[in-house]
């Protein structure tokens, strides 16, 4: 079963809102991790940041319209 678009269709706008509020904190934390020589400091919260970009590219309403798993009217 393809899962492309699944997270975008269910999380949509909340991902955008949360990331835009979290981004300054993530930037500071990544810098702190780099200063402390922690491995891969730029990867901290990278999956969530990537999800943000996916949702921006494919808005939730479009992802839901394409999903075979969505049952409610779009």
């Amino acid at each position: 079963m393809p899962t492309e678009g699944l997270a975008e269709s269910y999380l949509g706008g909340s991902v955008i809102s949360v990331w835009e509020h979290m981004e300054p904190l993530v930037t500071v934390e990544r810098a702190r991790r780099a200063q402390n020589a922690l491995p891969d400091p730029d990867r901290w919260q990278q999956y969530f940041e990537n999800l943000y970009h996916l949702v921006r590219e494919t808005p939730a309403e479009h992802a839901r319209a394409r999903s075979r798993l969505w049952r409610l009217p779009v």
Side-chain angles (χ1 to χ4, degrees):
M1 165 183 4
T3 58
E4 183 179 326
L6 197 57
E8 295 94 318
S9 68
Y10 288 108
L11 300 173
S14 46
V15 168
I16 293 171
S17 175
V18 170
W19 175 256
E20 289 175 353
H21 283 88
M22 280 183 51
E23 186 177 16
L25 170 112
V26 171
T27 301
V28 169
E29 180 62 18
R30 287 175 178 169
R32 185 191 71 76
R33 288 170 180 247
Q35 288 173 345
N36 290 322
L38 292 172
D40 297 325
D42 291 331
R43 290 192 63 191
W44 192 74
Q45 293 297 328
Q46 192 174 46
Y47 291 106
F48 193 76
E49 181 179 5
N50 188 65
L51 179 59
Y52 164 80
H53 290 288
L54 289 172
V55 170
R56 297 286 299 198
E57 291 171 11
T58 307
E61 57 274 8
H62 294 132
R64 283 192 293 267
R66 292 191 325 229
S67 174
R68 295 178 311 176
L69 300 175
W70 191 255
R71 301 295 187 258
L72 300 174
V74 178

